[in-house]
């Protein structure tokens, strides 16, 4: 793989329509055929994803202007959740996003609301054209739950913290990974500042809830130290790298980061910061970093396909894609993921 | 023999007969629950009418070919169209009428096991014809060899209640059938990977297993035939232990290997424990019954995966539960049979390898299981291959997709449910 960030930046910024953007996206995915990607390259790929999304938003604003909606009535942050928020997007990531906008005056409230509703619809369409399928879990700015003014975000967030049942805790965990991809990031930072002060006042009870919510994904390691494979279907023998390896590590590190009040969203940055703050022992931090990097690279090797113009994958790594050494390496990474889960459980239980 | 003893024996054996016949109810639920809704009425109904066929054929020829006095080492001869003395006669421990009923119940179970290989795609006509031929030509041969004074019984082959005679024979017919019928539509992908075709009701399957479990006390404990000093209690104890051990072992191994504590696998583990202990229940110590059950539970899990790897579709796992566990159960007596039970209590064969019997009994067991299994497979395969050539065994693709309830019988087992899903 060999590409220049600047060159792509230029091409993407020059795209004048969603169609052109879609063509650039296809070229981009085509170029990265070699799936043996390094962590550095994955970072660059994520910067390019950001460029695609930013350009989609700019074009959407232009479209709305052309349709007589005018410029954005108040400032806003377009935020990414999930892998986009964590800067861990793959070549087949879907849309997980939301909008937070400045509180409008009462008299303009409905007008502003309808602007952002329209903007969200346009962006969703644009991102689809650029190959990003809509989020299956409906975490997307076209859903009013994820598209509202700052005060409403505060209000909702309060509600989630006050009644932390399973679904609300899920929302809180989603919010923890949020990152502004377009806008100054001031609004999302305000939300997060309040988020962390709520966490601090409600700990450890809220952390326990979050812990239980994230432990349901079982690591792909059996009691005999073997890899747990898919049993049936066309993926039989394959490994569910996404839910059996990647997500458990992401969830574990995220939980420690929420406890620590970190604004960082990328898992590797979070590990680094936790180490600097002496919140995890250095030895552990090195292990986590190594294990996560290995799993993350394997995740990139999952096969994906283009379906209805959008890039998707089932997250399963085929068994024959791995050599014996790679399987052994994966097993040791999974052992560390297991250790991470145990460490977190112990930590949160003992803080009770 | 005094009348009281005859009476007690007869009541016990009649009760056991009823329990074994009631196992058909267990199979109805087990098989219907393990298959899809569109075939439920067919699966349930065919168990009843094929048992009807088995009854008439067993009365006409089957019983005589096993126990008829004018036979040889290979087959029995006599007592066709049985017309027994209405009461026990001198020297009988129980009347022949009840003996016939008990033996018939066993033959019926072997046939029902064989249907596992036909499930969800066999033609109704194939069920009718094979019922006749299996009860007349396949089952009696193995039963005669081991129980009817045939050549294996002369070697002292130990099979107390039929791990080989009933379960392996049935499973071998199922194997022949499933090979000739080929897998169900949608079971395997082009690349050879298997899909899971879920049964439509795990509650039925579990209840079926429980009914079988209870029925097994008739099957195993009833095989003492006589009340005597109530040895049947000991046989029942071993049966219970092996069933429990099989269920636990299968659950744990599935959980450990696949990460999922799969309910159907656990249920198959209980059945595998029962099938395995069927041969050995009267020959082994209780601790050995537990070991036999555990190994059966582990084997059934591996075997289910193994047949899938071979691309053999075994819809209700008859090959694993009755075949593999049947083989293991038969061999297990060659390992665990104690001198006290085999020689002193039963006078049936010799002690096993772990009880000072050396390899002798084990050798007999292996020879018995190989020859019986081979005969049952080859005979069933020839019969079914001829049937396939002459009349065909499998419904058409379209019929298979609509479901056998409608295509073979004209009405659905669950009319309302099916209409909803079709809309």
């Amino acid at each position: 793989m060999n590409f220049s960030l600047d060159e792509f930046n230029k091409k993407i910024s020059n795209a004048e329509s969603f169609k052109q953007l879609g063509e650039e996206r296809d070229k981009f995915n085509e170029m990265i055929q070699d799936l043996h990607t390094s962590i550095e390259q994955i970072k660059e790929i994520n910067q390019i994803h950001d460029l695609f999304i930013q350009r989609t938003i700019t074009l959407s604003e232009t479209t709305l202007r052309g349709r007589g909606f005018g410029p954005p009535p108040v400032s806003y942050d377009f935020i990414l959740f999930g892998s986009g928020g964590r800067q861990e997007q793959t070549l087949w990531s879907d849309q997980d996003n939301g909008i937070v906008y400045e509180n409008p005056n009462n008299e303009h409230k409905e007008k502003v609301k309808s602007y952002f509703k329209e903007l969200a619809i346009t962006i969703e369409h644009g991102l689809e054209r650029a190959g990003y399928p809509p989020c299956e879990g409906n975490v997307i700015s076209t859903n009013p739950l994820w598209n509202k003014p700052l005060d409403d975000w505060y209000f909702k967030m309060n509600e989630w913290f006050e009644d932390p049942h399973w679904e609300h805790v899920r929302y809180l965990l989603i919010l923890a990974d949020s990152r502004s991809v377009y806008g100054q990031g001031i609004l999302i930072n305000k939300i997060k500042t309040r988020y962390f002060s709520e966490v601090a006042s409600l700990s450890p009870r809220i952390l326990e809830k979050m812990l239980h919510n994230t432990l349901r994904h079982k690591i792909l390691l059996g009691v005999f130290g073997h890899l747990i494979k898919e049993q049936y279907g066309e993926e039989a023998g394959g490994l569910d790298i996404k839910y059996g390896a990647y997500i458990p590590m992401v969830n574990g590190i995220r939980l420690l980061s929420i406890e620590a009040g970190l604004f960082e969203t990328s898992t590797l940055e979070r590990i680094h910061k936790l180490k600097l703050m002496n919140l995890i022992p250095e030895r552990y931090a090195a292990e986590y970093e190594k294990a996560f990097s290995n799993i993350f690279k394997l995740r990139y090797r999952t096969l994906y396909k283009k379906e209805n113009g959008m890039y998707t994958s089932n997250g399963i790594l085929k068994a024959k894609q791995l050599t014996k050494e790679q399987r052994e390496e994966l097993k040791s990474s999974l052992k560390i993921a297991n250790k991470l889960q145990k460490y977190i459980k112990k930590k949160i239980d003992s803080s009770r | 023999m005094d009348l009281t003893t005859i009476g007690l024996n007869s009541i016990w054996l009649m009760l056991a007969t009823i329990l074994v016949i009631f196992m058909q109810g267990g199979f109805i639920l087990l098989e219907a629950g393990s298959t899809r809704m569109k075939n439920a009425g067919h699966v349930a109904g065919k168990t009843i009418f094929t048992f009807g066929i088995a009854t008439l054929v067993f009365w006409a020829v089957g019983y005589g070919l096993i126990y008829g006095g004018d036979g040889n080492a290979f087959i029995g001869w006599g007592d066709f169209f049985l017309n027994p003395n209405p009461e026990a006669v001198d020297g009988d421990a129980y009347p022949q009428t009840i003996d016939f009923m008990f033996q018939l119940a066993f033959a019926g179970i072997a046939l029902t096991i064989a249907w596992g290989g036909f499930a969800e795609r066999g033609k109704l006509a194939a069920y009718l014809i094979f019922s006749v031929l299996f009860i007349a030509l396949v089952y009696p041969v193995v039963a005669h060899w081991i129980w009817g004074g045939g050549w294996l019984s002369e070697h002292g082959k130990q099979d107390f209640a039929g791990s080989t005679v009933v379960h392996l024979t049935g499973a071998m017919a199922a194997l022949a059938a499933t090979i000739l019928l080929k897998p169900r539509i949608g079971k395997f992908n082009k690349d050879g990977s298997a899909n899971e075709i879920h049964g439509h009701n795990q509650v039925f399957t579990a209840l079926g297993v429980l009914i079988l479990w209870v029925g097994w006390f008739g099957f195993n404990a009833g095989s003492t035939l006589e009340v005597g000093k109530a040895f049947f209690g000991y046989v029942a104890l071993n049966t219970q232990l092996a069933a429990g051990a099989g269920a636990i072992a299968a659950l744990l191994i599935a959980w450990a290997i696949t990460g999922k504590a799969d309910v159907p696998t656990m249920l198959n583990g209980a059945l595998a424990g029962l099938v395995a202990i069927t041969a050995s229940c009267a020959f082994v110590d209780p601790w050995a019954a537990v070991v036999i059950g555990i190994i059966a539970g582990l084997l059934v899990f591996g075997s289910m995966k193994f047949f899938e790897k071979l691309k053999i579709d075994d819809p209700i796992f008859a090959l694993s539960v009755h075949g593999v566990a049947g083989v293991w159960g038969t061999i297990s007596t060659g390992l665990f049979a104690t001198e006290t039970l085999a020689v002193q209590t039963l006078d049936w064969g010799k002690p096993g390898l772990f009880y000072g019997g050396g390899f002798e009994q084990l050798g007999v067991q292996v020879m018995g299981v190989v020859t019986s299994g081979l005969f049952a497979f080859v005979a069933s395969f020839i019969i079914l291959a001829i049937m396939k050539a002459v009349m065909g065994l499998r419904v058409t693709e379209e019929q298979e997709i609509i479901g056998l309830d409608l295509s073979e019988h004209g009405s659905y087992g669950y009319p309302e449910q099916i209409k909803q899903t079709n809309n």
Side-chain angles (χ1 to χ4, degrees):
Chain A
M1 184 177 73
N2 193 6
F3 65 84
S4 138
L5 212 54
D6 286 342
E7 203 176 306
F8 254 103
N9 193 355
K10 213 179 283 169
K11 280 185 186 163
I12 293 169
S13 324
N14 287 339
E16 286 304 329
S17 66
F18 293 142
K19 186 167 172 277
Q20 269 182 33
L21 211 53
E23 286 163 8
E24 290 305 325
R25 172 70 199 275
D26 287 343
K27 281 184 210 157
F28 172 61
N29 267 46
E30 251 165 56
M31 201 175 56
I32 307 167
Q33 290 293 344
D34 179 11
L35 298 169
H36 295 265
T37 319
S38 72
I39 292 291
E40 279 312 309
Q41 286 165 328
I42 293 174
K43 277 187 190 159
E44 290 184 355
I45 290 172
N46 270 276
Q47 287 171 337
I48 291 176
H49 273 306
D50 281 2
L51 292 174
F52 275 116
I53 295 166
Q54 285 156 358
R55 186 64 190 161
T56 306
I57 299 169
T58 317
L59 288 174
S60 301
E61 284 186 359
T62 314
T63 309
L64 256 60
R65 255 190 221 108
R67 287 169 52 199
F69 281 89
V74 291
S75 66
Y76 70 98
D77 282 338
F78 190 84
I79 46 190
L80 298 183
F81 303 111
S83 63
R86 294 188 303 271
Q87 290 171 285
E88 290 166 5
Q89 295 204 71
T90 52
L91 293 168
W92 58 90
S93 286
D94 61 1
Q95 301 186 34
D96 281 324
N97 53 47
I99 292 175
V100 47
Y101 52 90
E102 200 83 65
N103 298 320
N105 298 332
N106 254 348
E107 68 242 51
H108 293 128
K109 209 169 174 182
E110 282 312 307
K111 211 177 144 204
V112 172
K113 193 176 164 188
S114 72
Y115 175 86
F116 285 106
K117 187 183 162 195
E118 211 48 45
L119 182 68
I121 293 171
T122 316
I123 293 172
E124 184 187 16
H125 167 74
L127 286 175
E128 278 182 28
R129 294 292 297 271
Y132 300 92
C135 172
E136 277 176 18
N138 206 17
V139 181
I140 193 158
S141 51
T142 46
N143 176 353
L145 185 64
W146 303 103
N147 180 354
K148 50 193 187 247
L150 185 62
D151 276 349
D152 287 15
W153 274 99
Y154 285 155
F155 182 79
K156 269 288 165 205
M157 195 166 74
N158 252 4
E159 207 176 281
W160 298 343
F161 274 115
E162 268 170 22
D163 180 19
H165 62 70
W166 196 88
E167 191 67 15
H168 285 175
V169 172
R170 181 178 153 245
Y171 295 154
L172 289 171
L173 290 167
I174 289 170
L175 197 51
D177 285 343
S178 58
R179 172 176 70 94
S180 171
V181 69
Y182 187 92
Q184 293 177 314
I186 297 168
L187 297 168
I188 187 66
N189 275 5
K190 281 186 180 169
I191 291 175
K192 281 207 174 173
T193 307
R194 190 172 282 204
Y195 180 101
F196 290 128
S197 74
E198 285 287 336
V199 170
S201 69
L202 294 171
S203 285
R205 208 174 67 94
I206 192 71
L207 291 171
E208 267 176 59
K209 295 263 182 193
M210 289 176 168
L211 176 75
H212 291 148
N213 195 301
T214 58
L215 284 181
R216 74 204 155 94
H217 294 297
K218 299 274 182 298
I219 291 170
L220 294 180
L221 205 59
V223 284
F224 306 121
H226 62 287
L227 294 172
I228 293 180
K229 295 178 182 156
E230 293 296 304
Q231 299 290 316
Y232 290 100
E234 303 214 344
E235 303 299 340
L239 298 165
D240 186 356
I241 281 288
K242 180 175 179 186
Y243 288 109
Y246 168 72
I247 292 286
M249 278 215 89
V250 165
N251 284 349
I253 297 294
R254 177 174 58 208
L255 201 58
L256 293 173
S257 309
I258 292 172
E259 189 187 20
L262 299 190
F263 279 73
E264 281 77 3
T265 53
S266 120
T267 305
L268 285 171
E269 280 173 23
R270 279 171 168 171
I271 295 172
H272 184 66
K273 196 71 188 281
L274 288 167
K275 181 181 72 181
L276 290 181
M277 292 168 75
N278 277 326
L279 289 169
I280 42 175
E282 207 168 318
R283 185 166 46 87
Y284 282 17
E287 274 188 340
Y288 297 160
E289 194 184 317
K290 193 176 162 211
F292 181 77
S293 302
N294 178 39
I295 288 168
F296 194 34
K297 280 189 276 183
L298 289 178
R299 170 153 164 69
Y300 249 79
R301 294 181 51 200
T302 313
L303 300 181
Y304 66 93
K305 59 182 179 218
K306 196 173 179 190
E307 217 173 48
N308 303 326
M310 289 170 278
Y311 294 95
T312 61
S313 166
N314 56 14
I316 311 276
L317 189 66
K318 290 200 188 291
K320 60 181 176 224
Q321 284 179 268
L322 294 183
T323 62
K324 194 164 182 293
E325 289 75 34
Q326 285 168 329
R327 273 203 301 276
E328 290 308 313
E329 206 185 341
L330 175 59
K331 280 187 204 166
S332 29
S333 300
L334 291 172
K335 273 181 202 149
I336 291 165
N338 250 338
K339 263 168 75 179
L340 170 65
Q341 282 196 340
K342 278 189 194 132
Y343 173 75
I344 293 165
K345 247 194 265 184
K346 221 173 105 187
K347 194 163 189 277
I348 287 175
D349 282 346
S350 68
S351 63
R352 246 199 306 220
Chain B
M1 208 164 276
D2 66 279
L3 282 178
T4 315
T5 310
I6 292 173
L8 281 175
N9 287 344
S10 302
I11 288 172
W12 170 231
L13 201 55
M14 194 63 219
L15 174 63
T17 302
I18 292 166
L19 281 169
V20 178
I21 290 175
F22 192 60
M23 284 169 77
Q24 296 289 351
F27 277 113
I28 287 176
L29 287 171
L30 171 75
E31 199 180 334
S34 309
T35 49
R36 286 162 295 180
M37 196 177 252
K38 63 183 178 182
N39 301 318
H42 159 82
V43 162
K46 71 98 187 48
T47 306
I48 302 292
F49 76 72
T50 57
F51 186 47
I53 295 171
T55 303
L56 299 187
V57 177
F58 196 75
W59 167 73
V61 292
Y63 183 77
L65 290 173
I66 301 171
Y67 297 104
D70 303 325
N72 50 39
F74 184 75
I75 196 77
W77 201 262
D79 275 340
F80 299 122
F81 299 93
L82 186 70
N83 186 16
N85 198 310
E87 295 177 336
V89 293
D90 278 352
D92 280 355
Y94 44 82
Q96 196 184 18
T97 48
I98 299 180
D99 183 56
F100 170 83
M101 290 299 291
F102 190 60
Q103 298 302 335
L104 161 66
F106 277 61
I109 297 294
L111 181 64
T112 295
I113 291 166
W115 299 142
F118 291 67
E120 300 204 283
R121 63 214 194 284
K123 260 188 188 175
L124 187 66
Y127 281 97
L128 299 171
I129 308 288
F130 190 70
S131 293
V132 175
L133 298 176
F134 179 83
I135 295 295
L137 302 177
V138 183
Y139 180 77
V141 176
V142 180
H144 177 75
W145 288 0
I146 296 170
W147 289 344
W151 69 277
L152 279 170
S153 64
E154 275 162 30
H155 280 287
K157 160 94 161 50
Q158 295 162 342
D159 187 4
F160 192 72
S163 282
T164 304
V165 176
V166 178
H167 295 280
L168 183 61
T169 304
M172 283 295 135
L175 176 63
T178 201
I179 289 173
L180 286 165
L181 276 157
K182 308 230 160 54
R184 288 168 294 171
I185 294 170
K187 176 62 191 175
F188 295 102
N189 299 311
K190 273 185 194 142
D191 64 359
S193 58
N195 295 314
E196 200 169 16
I197 299 181
H198 293 281
H200 85 281
N201 192 329
Q202 282 188 359
V203 179
F204 279 7
T205 311
L207 189 54
V209 168
L210 186 75
I211 291 175
L212 286 169
W213 186 325
V214 171
W216 231 284
F217 295 117
F219 206 91
N220 286 3
S223 291
T224 54
L225 304 176
E226 297 176 25
V227 172
K229 291 184 194 163
F231 179 57
F232 60 80
Y234 184 79
V235 175
L237 168 68
N238 277 349
T239 302
Q240 179 73 11
L241 289 173
I248 297 165
L251 182 84
L252 293 181
I253 190 77
W255 202 354
I257 302 279
T258 67
K260 290 187 185 111
D262 183 52
V263 171
T265 304
M266 178 275 292
L267 295 172
N268 285 336
L271 291 179
L274 287 164
V275 169
I277 204 64
T278 295
S280 43
C281 49
F283 295 96
V284 302
D285 286 339
W287 72 267
V290 174
V291 173
I292 290 166
I294 289 173
I295 293 176
L298 301 178
L299 275 175
V300 84
F301 170 77
S303 167
M304 285 160 67
K305 300 280 165 210
F306 172 74
F307 283 114
E308 247 165 24
K309 281 260 152 64
L310 293 183
K311 283 192 246 172
I312 292 175
D313 186 12
D314 187 12
I316 56 165
F317 309 106
L319 309 182
S320 300
V321 168
H322 300 278
V324 173
V327 169
W328 158 241
T330 307
I331 291 173
S332 75
T333 75
L335 301 169
F336 296 102
T338 71
E339 165 119 33
T340 322
L341 290 164
V343 181
Q344 292 165 27
T345 311
L346 295 165
D347 188 22
W348 186 346
K350 299 208 164 56
L353 179 65
F354 302 148
Y355 284 87
F359 286 93
E360 194 183 337
Q361 189 63 38
L362 185 61
V364 172
Q365 296 303 106
V366 172
M367 174 176 71
V369 89
V370 170
T371 51
S372 305
L374 209 60
F375 171 80
F377 177 74
V378 172
S380 301
F381 194 90
I382 292 170
I383 291 169
L384 287 164
I386 295 170
M387 283 169 62
K388 188 176 176 179
V390 174
M391 54 181 274
L393 295 174
R394 187 167 177 156
V395 294
T396 64
E397 251 178 68
E398 194 191 4
Q399 289 170 325
E400 188 175 336
I401 290 164
I402 317 172
L404 304 179
D405 280 8
L406 196 66
S407 76
E408 299 298 272
H409 306 277
S411 66
Y412 278 120
Y414 295 91
E416 290 90 350
Q417 301 293 336
I418 296 280
K419 270 181 200 140
Q420 270 173 14
T421 50
N422 277 359
N423 285 342

